[in-house]
């Protein structure tokens, strides 16, 4: 059974710091990996999607890398801002019977203080 | 383009009552998913539908049923609600291996 672990569970940093959030998974036979952001009381918003054949994806101040063989992904946030405060979740998808089944980590709760 | 919509936003039930959570997407996605989110447990997959007319169990299907009414709509039914089903329920949709999009969630309390 796929297990996804996110470290750290919580993080509090001053504004301006560069951050690394970690996601590890036990079964490397994944199809792709997706990073999400969730604000309190809200749904999930997709940040980045990395296909299994890719090594990284970038969007603005966000960069996500994928090392499928070692079962790891990192989300790098450059020059953090208070507006980045949220919970960040990663999900890995594996193929099963024509569909793509997700397994989520429990998230990293990030607070960026001014 | 509304994306993924869910109704209701909030619901309070008594133990034993039944209800249906509605989900609809207007992005012509083939796959749809139902999750529950509990504190400390992350998101857990209840049921999913790879395409219209097909449904499959996820990690925590007990106590739930689903219907993929058409390509747009995927409903989740609680036949006899229990306090353990108090949770936040999210619907999501996806086209193939593309990005997964989530609805805003339904907050359900079972007394």
């Amino acid at each position: 059974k796929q297990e996804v672990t996110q470290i750290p569970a919580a993080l509090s940093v001053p504004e301006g710091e560069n951050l690394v959030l970690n996601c590890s998974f036990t079964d490397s036979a994944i199809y792709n990996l997706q990073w999400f952001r969730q604000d309190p009381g809200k749904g999930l918003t997709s940040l980045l999607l990395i296909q299994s054949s890719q090594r990284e994806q970038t969007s603005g101040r966000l960069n996500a890398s994928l090392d499928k063989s070692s079962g790891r992904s990192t989300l790098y946030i450059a020059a953090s801002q208070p507006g980045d405060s949220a919970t960040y979740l990663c999900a890995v998808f594996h193929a099963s019977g024509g569909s793509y089944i997700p397994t989520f980590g429990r998230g990293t709760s990030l607070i960026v203080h001014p | 383009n509304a994306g993924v919509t869910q109704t209701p936003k909030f619901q309070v039930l008594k133990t034993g009552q039944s209800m249906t959570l509605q989900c609809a997407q207007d992005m012509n996605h083939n796959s749809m998913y139902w999750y529950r989110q509990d504190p400390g447990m992350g998101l857990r997959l209840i049921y999913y539908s790879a395409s219209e007319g097909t449904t499959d169990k996820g990690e925590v299907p007990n106590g739930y049923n689903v219907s993929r009414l058409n390509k747009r709509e995927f409903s989740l039914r609680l036949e006899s609600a229990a306090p353990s089903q108090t949770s936040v329920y999210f619907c999501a949709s996806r086209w193939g291996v593309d990005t997964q999009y989530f609805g805003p969630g339904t907050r359900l309390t079972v007394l």
Side-chain angles (χ1 to χ4, degrees), chain A residues 10-82:
Chain A
L11 190 59
S12 180
V13 299
E15 182 176 6
E17 281 204 2
N18 299 325
L19 308 172
V20 176
L21 308 183
N22 297 291
C23 173
S24 62
F25 45 95
T26 55
D27 185 348
S28 62
I30 65 168
Y31 210 88
N32 53 28
L33 181 148
Q34 195 166 357
W35 282 93
F36 295 88
R37 168 186 174 135
Q38 185 176 28
D39 294 291
K42 304 291 186 183
L44 279 70
T45 301
S46 178
L47 297 173
L48 290 164
L49 173 70
I50 310 177
Q51 302 296 345
S52 62
S53 58
Q54 297 175 319
R55 296 285 293 181
E56 65 178 329
Q57 283 284 340
T58 299
S59 176
R61 293 183 294 108
L62 304 179
N63 176 278
S65 67
L66 174 64
D67 184 342
K68 187 179 162 185
S69 60
S70 68
R72 293 180 183 177
S73 176
T74 60
L75 179 67
Y76 177 81
I77 304 175
S80 58
Q81 303 170 358

Side-chain angles (χ1 to χ4, degrees), chain A residues 32 34 38 41 100 102 106, chain B residues 33 35 37 40 94 97 99 107:
Chain A
N32 53 28
Q34 195 166 357
Q38 185 176 28
Y100 300 95
R106 297 187 180 187
Chain B
Y33 306 79
Y35 299 89
Q37 186 175 38
R94 191 180 201 210
V97 298
T99 297
R107 282 146 187 81

Side-chain angles (χ1 to χ4, degrees), chain B residues 1-59:
Chain B
N1 190 337
V4 180
T5 57
Q6 292 184 236
T7 56
K9 288 186 168 53
F10 301 93
Q11 184 71 47
V12 179
L13 294 177
K14 295 180 179 178
T15 297
Q17 288 185 317
S18 62
M19 77 161 296
T20 299
L21 282 64
Q22 306 286 354
C23 174
Q25 51 90 11
D26 61 2
M27 297 173 281
N28 202 35
H29 287 170
N30 52 348
S31 297
M32 297 186 74
Y33 306 79
W34 275 106
Y35 299 89
R36 61 178 288 173
Q37 186 175 38
D38 303 292
M41 297 295 294
L43 267 82
R44 292 182 291 171
L45 183 64
I46 304 172
Y47 271 93
Y48 64 97
S49 170
S51 60
E52 184 179 351
T54 68
T55 60
D56 285 287
K57 295 178 181 179
E59 181 185 355

